[in-house]
C-alpha cells in the first residue's frame, strides 16, 4: 500500500526528513545530552567560528540594521529592484566587463536560480547533466519539476578534471534530447572544494561549441562559493571563456548572497545571463520573471536593499571585502589543515582547492556516516563518499578529524 493518502507522489522519492538537516538535528541532540566538547558537527553549510557561533560580516549586519521601512517592508519587483540587479551583476562578475548582453533576475538564493534555469531551458522528462560528485538538492529540484539527473565522472585516475567523460556524456544526452541543461558548480565546488581551471573551462567550451547547432544548451555555473575560493579576480578568470560559446549555448550564473554576504536567512540571490544577443537576454528576463511569479512571486526586499546599499557606497563595499577576506583566509587555513592531516593519516580525499567542504571517497557512505555518529562525528553521506564542512569546524578539529575518520573506516573493512 502506498504511504501517500492525499498527496500526489508523481514519481518523487520524498523522505521523511531532509538528510542533511536530519543529521544536524541528531548532532544537536547529542550535544544536549553529552555536551559540546563530545561532538563535531561537520554538516552545516554556513560559516561558524571556533566556538560554533554563526559568523556574520559586521559591515553587512550594520547595513541591515540601518534599513528604512520602505527598504525592507515594501514589495520588491518580481525580477528584483533595479539597484539590486545592477549590484548583483557587479558582485557576480567582479572586474570583468562582458562583451555580450547581460540580464539579472532576483531569486531566493542560488537555489531559485537553479530551479528557474532547469524549468525554462529543459523539457519535461529531460535529464540535466552534472558531475558525479554533486549537491544533492539538484536531484530534489529536478524531480519536483519532472526532470532527472545524469552524471559524468568528475575526475580522472590522476585526479584531473575528466573532460573526456564530460564530452561522452554530452554527446550521449544530446543524441536523446533536443535540449540540455549542464550544471557546473565552481569554484570551491560543493561538495569537494575543487575549482575548474581556465584550461578545464576551455575544454568545456570546446565540447559544447561542437554540439549540433540545432540543439539548445543552458550552461549553468553554480558559483555560490566563488568569493570564498581565494583571490576574487583570479577565480573569475574563466568568465571570458563563457562568452566564446556559440548562440545555441546560453551561460547562466547562479549567484548567492547567502555565502558572499553571510545572509543565509535573507534568501537573496540572482540568476545572470551572458547572452550573445539582446533578443536572447530579453527572453531570459521575461521567462524567468514569469517562473518567479508562479513560484515565489517576488524575493526579500531587505536582502536586495542591503546589497544595493553596499554597492552604492565604495567605502562600505571595501569594508565588506576586507572582512570577507579575513574569513576567507580562516576558511582556507581550515581546509588546508584538514588536507595536511588527511595526507598524514593516509586518508584519501577528493581533489581540494578551497571552499566550505572537503569530501572523502568511500564505498559505504551511509554505513560510515552512521558509525561516525556513534563516535560523535557528524558528516553528510553522499552517493560516492562523505562530506565534511570545514566552514563549521574549527581548525583544531580539522586537524583531529582525518585520523579519527580513517580509524573508523578501517574498522568497517
Amino acid at each position: 500500500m502506498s504511504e501517500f493518502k492525499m498527496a500526489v507522489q508523481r514519481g518523487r522519492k520524498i523522505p521523511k526528513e531532509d538528510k542533511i538537516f536530519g543529521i544536524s538535528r541528531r548532532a544537536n541532540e547529542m550535544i544536549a545530552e553529552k555536551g559540546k566538547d563530545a561532538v563535531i558537527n561537520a554538516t552545516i553549510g554556513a560559516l561558524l567560528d571556533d566556538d560554533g557561533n554563526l559568523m556574520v560580516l559586521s559591515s553587512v549586519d550594520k547595513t541591515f540594521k540601518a534599513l528604512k521601512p520602505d527598504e525592507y517592508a515594501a514589495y520588491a519587483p518580481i525580477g528584483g529592484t533595479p539597484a539590486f540587479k545592477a549590484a548583483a551583476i557587479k558582485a557576480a562578475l567582479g572586474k570583468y566587463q562582458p562583451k555580450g548582453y547581460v540580464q539579472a533576475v532576483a531569486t531566493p538564493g542560488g537555489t531559485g536560480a537553479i530551479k528557474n534555469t532547469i524549468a525554462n531551458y529543459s523539457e519535461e522528462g529531460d535529464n540535466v547533466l552534472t558531475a558525479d560528485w554533486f549537491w544533492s538538492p539538484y536531484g530534489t529540484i529536478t524531480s519536483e519539476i519532472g526532470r532527472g539527473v545524469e552524471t559524468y565522472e568528475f575526475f580522472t585516475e590522476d585526479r584531473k578534471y575528466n573532460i573526456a567523460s564530460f564530452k561522452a556524456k554530452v554527446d550521449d544526452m544530446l543524441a536523446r534530447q533536443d535540449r540540455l541543461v549542464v550544471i557546473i558548480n565552481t569554484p570551491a565546488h560543493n561538495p569537494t572544494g575543487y575549482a575548474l581551471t581556465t584550461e578545464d573551462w576551455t575544454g568545456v567550451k570546446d565540447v559544447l561549441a561542437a554540439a549540433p547547432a540545432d540543439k539548445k544548451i543552458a550552461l549553468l555555473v553554480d558559483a555560490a562559493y566563488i568569493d570564498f575560493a581565494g583571490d576574487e579576480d583570479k577565480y573569475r578568470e574563466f568568465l571570458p571563456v563563457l562568452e566564446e560559446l556559440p548562440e545555441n549555448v546560453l551561460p547562466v550564473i547562479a549567484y548567492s548572497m547567502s555565502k558572499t554576504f553571510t545572509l543565509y536567512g535573507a534568501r537573496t540571490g540572482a540568476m545572470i545571463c551572458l547572452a550573445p544577443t539582446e533578443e536572447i537576454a530579453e527572453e531570459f528576463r521575461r521567462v524567468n520573471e514569469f517562473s518567479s511569479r508562479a513560484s515565489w512571486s517576488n524575493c526579500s526586499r531587505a536582502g536586495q536593499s542591503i546589497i544595493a546599499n553596499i554597492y552604492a557606497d565604495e567605502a562600505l563595499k571595501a569594508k565588506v571585502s576586507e572582512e570577507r577576506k579575513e574569513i576567507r583566509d580562516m576558511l582556507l587555513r581550515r581546509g588546508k589543515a584538514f588536507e595536511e592531516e588527511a595526507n598524514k593519516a593516509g586518508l584519501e580525499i577528493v581533489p581540494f582547492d578551497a571552499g566550505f567542504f572537503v569530501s572523502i571517497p568511500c564505498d559505504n557512505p551511509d554505513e560510515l556516516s552512521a558509525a561516525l555518529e556513534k563516535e560523535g562525528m557528524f558528516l553528510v553521506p553522499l552517493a560516492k563518499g562523505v562530506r565534511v564542512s570545514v566552514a563549521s569546524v574549527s581548525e583544531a578539529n580539522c586537524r583531529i578529524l582525518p585520523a579519527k575518520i580513517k580509524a573508523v573506516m578501517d574498522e568497517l573493512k
Side-chain angles (χ1 to χ4, degrees):
M1 181 182 291
S2 171
E3 64 175 316
F4 288 83
K5 304 300 182 187
M6 293 294 291
V8 177
Q9 185 173 357
R10 209 169 62 242
R12 298 171 295 173
K13 295 180 180 178
I14 302 177
K16 301 288 187 184
E17 181 178 41
D18 180 88
K19 180 178 280 190
I20 297 175
F21 283 90
I23 297 169
S24 187
R25 174 185 57 76
R26 293 195 296 275
N28 289 329
E29 288 172 354
M30 185 178 284
I31 289 171
E33 179 187 350
K34 298 184 177 181
K36 208 172 189 179
D37 293 340
V39 175
I40 299 176
N41 184 0
T43 68
I44 302 167
L47 286 160
L48 305 184
D49 65 19
D50 288 351
D51 295 321
N53 301 310
L54 184 68
M55 300 184 76
V56 177
L57 297 170
S58 64
S59 49
V60 174
D61 182 52
K62 184 177 180 180
T63 306
F64 200 160
K65 291 173 179 176
L67 293 180
K68 300 179 179 68
D70 63 349
E71 292 180 300
Y72 63 79
Y75 282 122
I78 293 168
T81 66
F84 168 73
K85 291 193 287 185
I89 291 168
K90 290 178 182 177
L93 303 186
K95 294 179 180 177
Y96 179 62
Q97 298 292 321
K99 301 188 293 289
Y101 297 85
V102 182
Q103 280 281 0
V105 174
T107 58
T111 306
I114 295 162
K115 183 268 177 184
N116 270 3
T117 301
I118 295 169
N120 283 309
Y121 296 97
S122 66
E123 296 281 5
E124 195 167 341
D126 282 352
N127 289 338
V128 306
L129 177 62
T130 194
D132 55 0
W133 289 89
F134 67 93
W135 187 50
S136 59
Y138 293 162
T140 306
I141 294 164
T142 53
S143 69
E144 177 67 12
I145 55 176
R147 277 74 164 170
V149 174
E150 293 187 38
T151 63
Y152 62 94
E153 292 182 13
F154 202 6
F155 301 107
T156 60
E157 289 185 4
D158 61 350
R159 299 162 65 87
K160 302 293 185 183
Y161 182 68
N162 198 334
I163 193 66
S165 181
F166 176 74
K167 180 182 187 309
K169 200 64 183 180
V170 168
D171 292 346
D172 171 57
M173 293 181 72
L174 286 178
R176 295 181 274 118
Q177 301 179 182
D178 291 329
R179 293 179 173 273
L180 180 61
V181 173
V182 176
I183 305 176
I184 297 182
N185 186 307
T186 191
H189 171 264
N190 178 1
T192 70
Y194 184 78
L196 269 68
T197 65
T198 303
E199 181 182 359
D200 295 335
W201 270 114
T202 299
V204 168
K205 180 261 297 181
D206 291 344
V207 168
L208 298 181
D214 62 339
K215 303 288 186 175
K216 292 181 170 59
I217 302 170
L219 172 59
L220 177 61
V221 183
D222 185 351
Y225 298 90
I226 191 168
D227 289 315
F228 285 101
D231 182 84
E232 294 175 9
D233 294 330
K234 175 186 174 184
Y235 281 92
R236 285 173 169 78
E237 289 177 352
F238 71 93
L239 290 170
V241 178
L242 301 183
E243 292 200 281
E244 296 175 20
L245 288 160
E247 194 169 307
N248 65 314
V249 183
L250 177 64
V252 179
I253 298 169
Y255 187 74
S256 171
M257 280 66 180
S258 300
K259 315 302 185 299
T260 300
F261 294 92
T262 61
L263 285 171
Y264 311 100
R267 305 312 302 140
T268 308
M271 57 191 307
I272 299 162
C273 76
L274 302 178
T277 69
E278 187 173 9
E279 180 184 20
I280 291 173
E282 176 57 22
E283 176 192 72
F284 171 89
R285 181 201 62 77
R286 183 166 52 90
V287 300
N288 286 299
E289 286 188 4
F290 182 89
S291 290
S292 296
R293 180 60 163 161
S295 299
W296 47 78
S297 191
N298 51 11
C299 298
S300 159
R301 182 114 194 187
Q304 294 179 52
S305 297
I306 293 165
I307 308 308
N309 290 352
I310 289 169
Y311 271 79
D313 184 332
E314 285 299 322
L316 177 58
K317 185 161 77 73
K319 178 63 176 174
V320 171
S321 295
E322 179 186 330
E323 283 192 86
R324 186 190 297 131
K325 183 180 182 305
E326 291 176 6
I327 295 178
R328 182 170 63 234
D329 289 346
M330 176 204 72
L331 184 61
L332 287 167
R333 287 194 300 271
R334 289 179 180 179
K336 293 305 178 184
F338 191 97
E339 186 177 36
E340 288 171 11
E341 297 303 323
N343 289 335
K344 291 177 187 176
L347 177 69
E348 181 187 1
I349 65 171
V350 180
F352 171 81
D353 183 63
F356 279 36
F357 307 108
V358 177
S359 285
I360 301 159
C362 67
D363 296 327
N364 53 350
D366 289 310
E367 184 184 1
L368 175 59
S369 177
L372 288 166
E373 282 192 25
K374 293 176 182 177
E375 302 296 325
M377 293 172 283
F378 291 79
L379 279 57
V380 175
L382 308 168
K384 300 187 68 175
V386 292
R387 188 191 80 176
V388 179
S389 170
V390 296
S392 61
V393 175
S394 69
E395 184 177 342
N397 280 334
C398 282
R399 293 196 175 277
I400 290 170
L401 268 174
K404 288 180 173 289
I405 294 169
K406 183 66 165 62
V408 173
M409 289 179 74
D410 289 344
E411 289 175 5
L412 294 177
K413 289 182 179 177

